[in-house]
Amino acid sequence: MKSSTQRPAARTAAAVVLIAGLGLSAAACSSSKSGAKDAAAPAGGDGPVTISVPCEPPTSQAGQRKEWLADVATFEKANPNITIKGIDTYPCEDTATFTAQMRAGTEPDVFHTYFTDLNQVLDAGQAADITSYVNDTTVPGFSDLAPSALAAVTAGKTLYGLPTGIYTQGLIINRKLFKQAGLDPDHPPTTWADVEKDAKAITALGNGIYGYGDYSAGNNGGWHFSSEVDANGGQMINQDGTKAAFNAQPATEVLQALHQMRFVDDSMSPTQQLKWGDLQKQMAAGKLGMYIASPDDLYNVIVPQDGGNVDDYGVGPLPSTSGTPAGSLSGGDDVMFNKHDTPAQIRAGIKWIAFSMLTPGQGQFNYARTKADGLPVGFPEPLDWVGATSEKNEALKAASATVNTAYYKTFVDAHEKGMGEPVDAQAVYKTLDATMLSVLNDPNADIPGLLKTAESQVNTLLANAG
């Protein structure tokens, strides 16, 4: 999901989703289209309007909060008829709260979602159709937004949101532990065999240090498993979204590697059923050598929240059997607009998001300010744009970079192909949590049997979703 200047970690865990999928066409019909005909502002302009917006950084993230409040002040001065009412939540979206809001219709005027939430939002009928409000004038650089990100907030030909951060995953490494173990942190392992070897070397350091970690709870086990299968050349769901496709050699190899490290090499902790947040804390504490994640774990969590030293970390490509990742789960964050918003509120919300989250050199992409505030700059994500807007953003980022970008070179050079996320992603991930937990908790785990059971369960949930 994000760059060094990205607002506080919005993603909790099994972040985001895929694109079009089961039920979207029908679901889309349930959301509001009432504002489409009112997209153009009246001749005299909009009168005073107040909008509630998500992702105001918490007080515990003083630097990012200061920047956010400065952006609000600048924006309101330039747009005196618009009042921003920030909602201070961390993370931006809590899954349980979000679900309750969707059921009750109590979401803010502008609300945060993960790409994986599109089906849920449309099924609840809570999103406004913003198709006719958005263009390169109202959102400069709109035409350069990553097509996969736009697809994640679009149903049919209807646009329901604006993407604000897109990511792929890699292998986060603790460079300090690599050096202590006699390994080369400038060349992180790229194959599962090398991950196993390096994890053993790091675990041999002792003092409660383990070489590798992975999730198996909170839907995060299935989330990581999906990315690992993508990288190993597999596929989670078939092309038409109707059947599980993961019960094959790529998934078997991933689970065998994890089981090897857990029970043969003892290079994974005996404490399992880990969820999002646990591995970041271990990494920040210097107790973990490697785990997979997107780079924003470093600049949103491990460094600013868990107290890690930014110079201790690097990112390599996702491991695979071949050493060349075939792909990576990709996802991201976006904002949508309450179906009850007035046309003036939608216009004001789009203007705020464009200013604060989607313009190189401004808001979350004001790299010069971030550098001046002592926050790290130069991480290789988010990947919001393509074309000229991407080039402009990267140039601005490079001009203010404070991190050693060489620490991320192998990840950048891998050019991992974003694979989106499975249809009905959260339900799929939840099912596969059990598979991961069995592999990491049972020394006699029957991997073929576990995959067969998970396949059957996912086929059932996909059939019911259809």
Side-chain angles (χ1 to χ4, degrees):
M1 162 171 138
K2 337 186 168 191
S3 81
S4 55
T5 48
Q6 180 70 29
R7 304 300 184 195
R11 185 185 329 141
T12 50
V16 205
V17 163
L18 181 57
I19 307 179
L22 300 175
L24 277 190
S25 297
C29 296
S30 64
S31 281
S32 169
K33 296 178 182 291
S34 61
K37 65 180 182 300
D38 301 314
D46 290 318
V49 59
T50 297
I51 51 172
S52 53
V53 302
C55 303
E56 178 178 301
T59 55
S60 59
Q61 297 192 349
Q64 290 170 309
R65 185 180 179 88
K66 185 193 78 169
E67 293 181 351
W68 195 90
L69 293 174
D71 285 343
V72 171
T74 300
F75 180 82
E76 289 183 337
K77 184 177 181 180
N79 301 277
N81 281 339
I82 301 175
T83 298
I84 300 295
K85 182 181 178 183
I87 298 174
D88 177 347
T89 54
Y90 180 80
C92 287
E93 179 182 331
D94 171 77
T95 302
T97 302
F98 179 78
T99 297
Q101 289 177 335
M102 288 297 103
R103 289 173 176 167
T106 56
E107 68 278 8
D109 301 322
V110 180
F111 59 99
H112 172 276
T113 77
Y114 301 124
F115 291 175
T116 42
D117 294 329
L118 181 59
N119 278 4
Q120 183 179 0
V121 173
L122 296 181
D123 286 344
Q126 294 298 331
D129 171 6
I130 63 169
T131 310
S132 60
Y133 290 81
V134 178
N135 51 54
D136 279 314
T137 298
T138 59
V139 181
F142 175 71
S143 296
D144 279 345
L145 284 172
S148 60
L150 281 173
V153 292
T154 301
K157 295 183 178 179
T158 303
L159 181 68
Y160 286 99
L162 289 173
T164 59
I166 183 170
Y167 70 92
T168 58
Q169 293 185 319
L171 182 71
I172 291 187
I173 68 165
N174 188 315
R175 293 178 56 87
K176 187 175 181 180
L177 294 182
F178 264 64
K179 291 177 182 175
Q180 291 176 3
L183 305 172
D184 181 1
D186 292 332
H187 296 89
T190 58
T191 67
W192 278 111
D194 285 341
V195 168
E196 292 169 19
K197 178 171 62 68
D198 290 356
K200 286 179 67 175
I202 292 169
T203 304
L205 294 171
N207 195 30
I209 294 171
Y210 287 94
Y212 192 80
D214 217 327
Y215 297 128
S216 52
N219 298 3
N220 307 147
W223 176 44
H224 268 196
F225 175 76
S226 298
S227 201
E228 290 158 349
V229 169
D230 287 342
N232 212 33
Q235 185 177 352
M236 292 302 296
I237 306 295
N238 66 1
Q239 288 295 328
D240 60 5
T242 58
K243 294 286 187 181
F246 55 79
N247 186 8
Q249 188 64 24
T252 300
E253 291 172 348
V254 167
L255 296 179
Q256 287 174 335
L258 294 175
H259 197 262
Q260 169 80 20
M261 288 190 284
R262 172 68 179 86
F263 290 106
V264 179
D265 301 341
D266 294 322
S267 57
M268 296 182 71
S269 170
T271 301
Q272 291 299 326
Q273 205 164 15
L274 302 176
K275 61 185 183 306
W276 194 90
D278 295 333
L279 296 176
Q280 292 92 330
K281 287 182 173 62
Q282 293 176 15
M283 183 64 74
K287 298 297 185 182
L288 181 64
M290 298 174 278
Y291 78 106
I292 73 165
S294 59
D296 80 292
D297 265 24
L298 294 173
Y299 56 82
N300 274 329
V301 186
I302 293 172
V303 174
Q305 180 171 303
D306 294 334
N309 183 337
V310 69
D311 294 327
D312 287 346
Y313 311 109
V315 182
L318 285 169
S320 61
T321 302
S322 68
T324 301
S328 166
L329 179 151
S330 59
D333 305 87
D334 62 270
V335 294
M336 294 188 182
F337 299 80
N338 191 311
K339 70 174 182 179
H340 297 300
D341 286 354
T342 65
Q345 286 178 307
I346 294 175
R347 285 190 288 272
I350 290 171
K351 183 176 284 189
W352 163 249
I353 295 302
F355 170 80
S356 64
M357 293 187 174
L358 283 176
T359 300
Q362 291 185 179
Q364 68 165 328
F365 299 112
N366 187 341
Y367 300 110
R369 179 180 65 179
T370 302
K371 179 181 180 180
D373 287 342
L375 298 172
V377 177
F379 295 98
E381 290 185 348
L383 309 168
D384 288 5
W385 298 284
V386 297
T389 307
S390 176
E391 292 172 3
K392 179 180 180 180
N393 184 60
E394 293 304 313
L396 290 170
K397 186 196 304 182
S400 294
T402 61
V403 302
N404 190 335
T405 56
Y407 293 175
Y408 312 96
K409 186 176 186 305
T410 58
F411 169 73
V412 174
D413 289 348
H415 300 294
E416 293 176 348
K417 177 185 177 183
M419 305 290 281
E421 297 189 55
V423 172
D424 214 355
Q426 297 291 354
V428 171
Y429 297 157
K430 183 176 182 178
T431 299
L432 290 163
D433 268 2
T435 306
M436 291 286 278
L437 184 59
S438 293
V439 168
L440 296 173
N441 254 354
D442 181 0
N444 299 310
D446 172 15
I447 290 175
L450 290 168
L451 285 172
K452 185 176 181 180
T453 298
E455 177 187 37
S456 175
Q457 292 170 335
V458 170
N459 283 339
T460 298
L461 72 87
L462 292 177
N464 291 337

